[in-house]
Amino acid sequence: MKQILLKNAYIVSMNGKREIFNGGSILIEGNLIKAIGKVDLKLIENDAEIYDVKGKIILPGLINTHVHLSQQLGRGIADDVDLLTWLRERVWPYESSFDYEASLISSTACCAEMIKSGVTTFLEAGGQYVEAMAEAVEKMGLRAGLSKSVMDQGEGLPSTWVKTADQELEAQKELFDKYHNTADGRIKIWFGLRTIFNNSDDLIVRTKKMADELETGIHMHIAEIAAENDFIKETRGNSTVEQLHRLGALGKNLLAVHTVWLTDREIDLFRLYDVKVSHNPAAAMKVVLGFARIPEMLEKGISVSIGTDGAPSNNRMDMMREMYLTSLIHKGRTLNPKSVPAEQVLEMATIHAAKCALLENEIGSLEIGKKADLIILNPNSLHSLPLHDPIANIVYTMSSENVESTICDGKWLMKERNLLVMDEKELIEKVKEKSAEVKERAKINLPNRFPVVDIL
Ligand SMILES: [Zn+2]
């Protein structure tokens, strides 16, 4: 089996003891980590690829727990607008004008951007063409939990999206049977619940039952805006989390995204049922959702991870920047410099996120027997030197530009900034072409912010 030896690195293992191996090596065999730290030379075969990582940092591959692959081509169509305009007038018309090819290009571009920012695993929030997403993930070499955008009710939905609970469940079961554990096990199929605005109680109950039976996860936007809780109280008598509790839908396989508007009791319920959380600081500020009570959740021991959300709501799919923001916004909100320190942010982006992805036995830390998902950071740039405190430096100064190489499932996806899984220049041209075509079809006209003078 193919071996890769990465030697002389500063390895941030994120193992149980959080050991850092200074000057250490990692031996990859096939898709697994065979040895780490001080590697016994006897284990290394003659034809192993030997790669010197001196002066650089190895981290577990980052895990982005909230991504919208099919929104990648919509970056820039919904800036400086409120959430309802964002959703109903921009993103829904845009996404509903997608076809398979647009979805494939969007997904591929999003995967490429993630690889370049050090992500090896992501959880998809739900799109229309899961087949295209799976095709992109298979080709791009990432690990992913994919889900369909699932809606059986709600105002303002594009007509082609209105489905019954039966139709939605059946479609997801078909996707599960076809794609779960494909691409060498890299692709998992999760169940989707878009938001409680768009999901009936019946659908929620049956989704939870099916996800439990099939031992997979559920991805849902929860308590995003204050109006969500108000609306659900009016129509169903409880806040979102209380209603999910009443329906028996809280559980360890539920990934709750955003969770901005939670009460103390609701945070306790998350702890009790081991509900997983995806915190998306940039999107929460840009689309003005508010500040999630992340330090409080972390203090209770809830597994909290980080997500970028989609390109129209961030607009950067850059987990390195997202780690920086995660630490900053909670210091600002709580006026406490110790709030969400750098080491905790790294846990959120790796080992906690692996729990959220229901893959903690396989990824999230660099340990013998785990999957060889890792990244190499090169700190030798003016914006990230000097390296007095490496862990803090990763979170507070580095960006995706410092991600030099990305390995997932034992394969190089990017090596020394070169994307190996696809032709980047060709992809850039496709993104420009297809995004313009979809914008035209969706009839989205953006006002000029400044007068434009065409010089012919
Ligand atoms: Zn989202």
Side-chain angles (χ1 to χ4, degrees), residues 14 294-295 298-299 306 322-331 334 336-349 352 389 391-396:
M14 303 308 287
I294 298 304
L298 288 167
E299 202 168 297
I306 303 171
E322 213 67 28
M323 290 200 291
Y324 174 66
L325 276 179
T326 297
S327 187
L328 258 57
I329 75 167
H330 299 292
K331 294 185 201 320
T334 60
N336 175 5
K338 295 198 166 98
S339 185
V340 196
E343 57 271 34
Q344 200 165 31
V345 173
L346 268 191
E347 289 174 345
M348 292 168 78
H352 285 348
D389 181 349
I391 297 296
N393 199 296
I394 292 167
V395 173
Y396 296 124

Side-chain angles (χ1 to χ4, degrees), residues 66 68 71 77-93 155-156 194-198 221-229 257-261 280 282-290 309-310 312-314:
H66 188 64
H68 291 260
Q71 290 179 2
I77 57 163
D79 296 333
D80 307 331
V81 294
D82 63 75
L83 184 64
L84 278 185
T85 310
W86 186 96
L87 202 62
R88 291 183 183 166
E89 288 173 34
R90 306 291 177 83
V91 173
W92 281 352
E155 261 175 65
R194 189 76 182 208
T195 75
I196 200 159
F197 285 113
N198 301 107
H221 298 89
I222 290 177
E224 264 185 284
I225 49 173
E228 177 186 318
N229 278 331
V257 181
H258 296 310
T259 60
V260 177
W261 297 91
N280 295 216
M285 286 194 283
K286 184 161 180 284
V287 198
V288 293
L289 308 178
D309 213 339
S313 54
N314 187 309

